Amino acid sequence: SLHDELLHVPLLFVGKNIGSQIKNSFIRHVDLYPTILDLISLKYNEEDIDGKSFFPFENKNGIEELFSYIHTMPYEKPHPKDSVGIRTEKYKYFRSEHSKNDAYLYDLLKDPFENNNIIEKQSELVERFEEMIESVEKRKISSNEMDISSEEEAMIREELKKLGYS
């Protein structure tokens, strides 16, 4: 399922220079890497990574609208019930990976529990999110494009199996 009750992950940062505050902002997993690098004052090239730093946490103004591509089970063992979608701070759109008929759109600010599918009322948003899905899927990296050998890939797969991933 791609509902927030299963996807939402609490995030805590604790440290000497971090003030006590609660943020309900939309932060993607891909944003963790640059945020941590900024927290520990390590330099990096922003153009080399997809995420955006949220540190300092007090100054989020000016950051463009961010989105996440969401997928029930990417890259492994395709299933007829797989879903894909787009999640923004305000909306979540998802549908069957194989059909656009079984689709959902939720206004997360007005409907945080995702009870009211507004897909019939927002065709422009659906079209925009479909373009975003298409754009992301064109960028998917195949193992042939990565700079690792087949031996390294086999070793990575073996390590992931040891951690419980199949």
Side-chain angles (χ1 to χ4, degrees):
S1 173
L2 294 177
H3 290 279
D4 269 8
E5 63 190 30
L6 296 175
L7 296 176
H8 188 84
V9 179
L11 175 64
L12 302 170
F13 285 105
V14 178
K16 181 179 173 184
N17 297 323
I18 301 172
S20 175
Q21 54 188 296
I22 296 175
K23 297 285 187 188
N24 292 317
S25 302
F26 174 61
I27 298 178
R28 308 161 305 162
H29 287 112
V30 71
D31 299 324
L32 295 177
Y33 178 65
T35 301
I36 291 169
L37 290 177
D38 280 350
L39 277 167
I40 60 175
S41 302
L42 283 179
K43 303 285 185 225
Y44 61 96
N45 185 350
E46 291 180 26
E47 295 174 12
D48 290 341
I49 57 175
D50 289 328
K52 304 289 182 201
S53 174
F54 278 81
F55 184 78
F57 300 110
E58 298 85 17
N59 186 14
K60 188 180 171 207
N61 297 337
I63 294 178
E64 73 275 13
E65 179 187 32
L66 300 175
F67 73 92
S68 283
Y69 171 79
I70 52 179
H71 193 295
T72 50
M73 193 167 176
Y75 316 118
E76 294 287 333
K77 301 177 187 173
H79 190 274
K81 292 188 178 184
D82 284 349
S83 296
V84 296
I86 297 293
R87 168 72 155 82
T88 68
E89 190 153 6
K90 183 171 181 178
Y91 294 102
K92 181 188 292 173
Y93 167 73
F94 63 95
R95 61 164 169 80
S96 167
E97 182 177 29
H98 310 290
S99 168
K100 294 180 184 176
N101 294 333
D102 189 22
Y104 302 87
L105 176 65
Y106 299 104
D107 182 332
L108 299 172
L109 299 181
K110 294 178 183 173
D111 180 22
F113 298 107
E114 302 173 40
N115 293 317
N116 186 25
N117 186 0
I118 59 170
I119 198 156
E120 300 297 327
K121 302 172 190 170
Q122 298 286 343
S123 59
E124 308 84 32
L125 269 177
V126 171
E127 189 174 310
R128 184 175 127 218
F129 291 144
E130 280 295 332
E131 288 171 3
M132 292 165 86
I133 290 171
E134 185 178 324
S135 172
V136 169
E137 289 180 343
K138 282 181 183 177
R139 289 181 49 201
K140 283 185 183 175
I141 299 172
S142 72
S143 60
N144 296 341
E145 297 175 49
M146 296 164 64
D147 292 335
I148 61 172
S149 68
S150 57
E151 293 83 20
E152 289 171 314
E153 185 175 351
M155 186 176 75
I156 291 167
R157 288 187 183 280
E158 191 58 39
E159 289 298 317
L160 287 171
K161 282 182 186 177
K162 290 178 189 176
L163 294 171
Y165 297 96
S166 57

